[in-house]
Amino acid sequence: DARVTQTPRHKVTEMGQEVTMRCQPILGHNTVFWYRQTMMQGLELLAYFRNRAPLDDSGMPKDRFSAEMPDATLATLKIQPSEPRDSAVYFCASGTWTPFFGQGTRLTVV
Amino acid sequence: AQTVTQSQPEMSVQEAETVTLSCTYDTSESDYYLFWYKQPPSRQMILVIRQEAYKQQNATENRFSVNFQKAAKSFSLKISDSQLGDAAMYFCASHAGGTSYGKLTFGQGTILTVHP
């Protein structure tokens, strides 16, 4: 059963700490996305990669967020330093014409 | 740029009945794709149905079907024989083809309640 796998599912951290979220896309999918979901903003695209190359990260706060794809089976999203306003659900999705989503990482920054 | 609008914040339906969720979109692209995703309380985003804009035939997946009106830029979701497990937030989304394919723009969502 092919699926996008995200870890961790839940993360509680203190303000100022580094947070790393990981995503394993579905094998064979050449495009990987990071989305953020909040009550106020809804679902927002943070960054995406095609064939491991970053194509667009304009939705990401550059000073504290970074996204990488070190190999075809792993995408990472890092926040350093984290702030309370970063509390949200972060989704990874992969696909070609149709994005399939992971279960999300619920991040709480206190 | 694409925009997606869901004008119904909440909808409710009786079990076994039919409900239609509305979605309108705007795009300047000729090649685009439309989707409905379901988000239950577990927060998993589950693909319900998809429609390629170049296809005139409305997509159908079991109890789920769409009414795609290209000229009106309307893309509604019909759920037939509603089940308790259909209760969730439903998001309409779209992306353009070409180099932007996969970059989804989402509507605000519609919360669907199913009454037994």
Side-chain angles (χ1 to χ4, degrees):
Chain A
D1 183 26
R3 63 180 68 183
V4 177
T5 303
Q6 288 186 249
T7 55
R9 293 288 311 281
H10 304 271
K11 177 72 175 180
V12 180
T13 191
E14 292 186 346
M15 183 173 62
Q17 296 299 304
E18 177 178 300
V19 175
T20 299
M21 291 169 268
R22 293 178 173 81
C23 169
Q24 181 177 356
I26 294 172
L27 189 64
H29 284 183
N30 70 342
T31 309
V32 177
F33 307 87
W34 284 104
Y35 286 89
R36 176 170 64 182
Q37 185 178 31
T38 61
M39 289 294 293
M40 294 299 295
Q41 301 297 327
L43 282 148
E44 308 172 278
L45 177 67
L46 296 176
Y48 80 109
F49 298 79
R50 185 155 298 138
N51 297 320
R52 296 177 53 202
L55 285 192
D56 186 353
D57 62 0
S58 59
M60 211 162 60
K62 300 291 192 302
D63 56 339
R64 298 184 300 108
F65 284 59
S66 63
E68 295 180 345
M69 199 162 177
D71 63 60
T73 65
L74 176 65
T76 63
L77 179 67
K78 291 186 181 180
I79 308 174
Q80 169 62 21
S82 57
E83 297 181 1
R85 58 179 168 157
D86 301 328
S87 297
V89 179
Y90 291 81
F91 285 102
C92 175
S94 73
T96 50
W97 298 107
T98 299
F100 292 90
F101 285 75
Q103 292 183 292
T105 295
R106 179 177 291 279
L107 174 65
T108 303
V109 183
V110 298
Chain B
Q2 299 196 319
T3 60
V4 177
T5 303
Q6 294 177 248
S7 58
Q8 306 156 317
E10 297 183 30
M11 292 285 284
S12 64
V13 64
Q14 291 292 133
E15 196 174 6
E17 297 296 307
T18 296
V19 65
T20 298
L21 308 183
S22 301
C23 173
T24 58
Y25 63 92
D26 195 14
T27 180
S28 57
E29 304 287 341
S30 58
D31 178 23
Y32 57 92
Y33 299 77
L34 298 162
F35 305 86
W36 280 97
Y37 286 89
K38 168 185 176 182
Q39 188 176 38
S42 67
R43 78 169 178 264
Q44 170 83 48
M45 291 287 286
I46 302 166
L47 176 69
V48 175
I49 200 166
R50 61 187 167 194
Q51 174 83 42
E52 294 90 339
Y54 64 84
K55 290 187 177 178
Q56 293 186 341
Q57 186 171 6
N58 289 326
T60 299
E61 288 287 343
N62 300 315
R63 298 183 294 107
F64 298 86
S65 61
V66 298
N67 183 4
F68 176 42
Q69 300 290 324
K70 193 171 184 177
K73 295 183 177 177
S74 170
F75 182 61
S76 60
L77 174 69
K78 185 172 82 171
I79 306 174
S80 304
D81 186 24
S82 297
Q83 301 175 359
L84 295 177
D86 296 332
M89 175 81 90
Y90 286 81
F91 290 97
C92 180
S94 73
H95 73 73
T99 57
S100 296
Y101 76 74
K103 288 177 61 176
L104 291 167
T105 299
F106 286 91
Q108 303 91 325
T110 297
I111 299 172
L112 177 66
T113 302
V114 181
H115 298 289

